[in-house]
Amino acid sequence: MPKTSSPSTTTTTRPFIFQQLYQLFTILYKYFQSTLFIKTQTPVTKASTTVHNSINLQYYKGKTLVLDLDETLVHSVRLGTTESTVNASIKKKTIEVTSDKQSILYEVYKRPHVDFFLSTISQWYKVVIFTASMSEYADPVIDWLDQDQTLISQRYFRQSCLLKNGNFLKDISIAESDLSKVCLIDNSPSAYELCQENAIPLPTWISNPKDDCLLDLLPLLDALRFTADVRSILSLRDPKHI
């Protein structure tokens, strides 16, 4: 079922995202600028070019992106328990979940741009869903997000989380043992307590039809796939926002 941790505030979602993106891209720009300067000062031979391209290819290959599900990619409402306030323009689907021989219906809403987001990042990363929800609920939701079974490589559910003080912590090393090559996008800070240097915080989404947070992430994710160690960039965030 959808995770029960308290949703974080969404009042500062856009300023927060842009602040983080500006900080990270300033660092990336300075890095690439220094790299280009060194290249212009150093004679380039065919052998050195081959080695450089080989190293770049090594950085590019094999990166893994771990995604949370609820309030990150979708929002779910259990029918019969609350009145839905999600905008009618949001794509939705009714999911039936059988639990303890009882049938429960959920109205599941897609975060704006999630289809484009998944189709894009699946070309850059090995994409993994890691959710604190039970598989009985999460599996059909993921099937809806990835109808052709071509975007998402692996799925991990609540039983793969570590329970601590009522929070479900995610050990992303089960998806990728080399932590230099893996990022976690999640709206819940407690979820990435074990891997803060790999985390990309994302504001909680509930119902805003004009939310662009997933689109805002794409330039950052595009750049991170070329780094030798994603932690060298992500760990530079302001600790107050981790």
Side-chain angles (χ1 to χ4, degrees), residues 39 43-59:
K39 282 183 179 180
V44 178
T45 65
K46 183 176 181 180
S48 64
T49 301
T50 301
V51 171
H52 182 73
N53 288 340
S54 177
I55 292 174
N56 280 343
L57 186 61
Q58 177 184 354
Y59 293 164

Side-chain angles (χ1 to χ4, degrees), residues 81-230:
T81 60
T82 183
E83 182 179 352
S84 173
T85 58
V86 181
N87 190 285
S89 65
I90 300 294
K91 294 180 181 178
K92 65 178 181 179
K93 181 179 178 65
T94 301
I95 300 290
E96 182 177 1
V97 178
T98 301
S99 178
D100 297 328
K101 299 182 179 180
Q102 291 186 341
S103 179
I104 304 172
L105 295 178
Y106 289 92
E107 201 84 278
V108 184
Y109 297 84
K110 287 184 177 181
R111 190 169 194 157
H113 313 295
V114 68
D115 292 327
F116 177 76
F117 177 79
L118 289 174
S119 66
T120 301
I121 62 170
S122 65
Q123 300 175 55
W124 301 341
Y125 293 85
K126 171 186 174 183
V127 180
V128 175
I129 299 290
F130 198 158
T131 174
S133 297
M134 299 296 291
S135 60
E136 292 85 353
Y137 155 80
D139 255 333
V141 175
I142 298 171
D143 288 342
W144 180 44
L145 293 174
D146 185 11
Q147 295 183 30
D148 295 329
Q149 305 292 297
T150 58
L151 307 177
I152 297 164
S153 299
Q154 291 175 283
R155 309 174 183 196
Y156 295 97
F157 309 102
R158 180 174 297 179
Q159 57 266 36
S160 296
C161 296
L162 302 175
L163 184 60
K164 179 181 177 182
N165 300 326
N167 295 315
F168 293 103
L169 280 56
K170 298 174 181 178
D171 178 7
I172 59 174
S173 67
I174 66 175
E176 170 54 68
S177 58
D178 184 351
L179 294 183
S180 71
K181 301 194 299 184
V182 57
C183 309
L184 169 65
I185 297 178
D186 204 303
N187 72 300
S188 174
S190 61
Y192 48 81
E193 181 178 324
L194 301 175
C195 55
Q196 294 186 2
E197 290 187 335
N198 298 82
I200 303 175
L202 191 68
T204 292
W205 179 76
I206 300 296
S207 61
N208 180 12
K210 297 182 179 180
D211 179 90
D212 288 331
C213 288
L214 292 178
L215 290 183
D216 293 340
L217 280 177
L218 289 177
L220 172 61
L221 294 175
D222 192 10
L224 280 175
R225 63 189 171 125
F226 295 104
T227 61
D229 188 335
V230 298

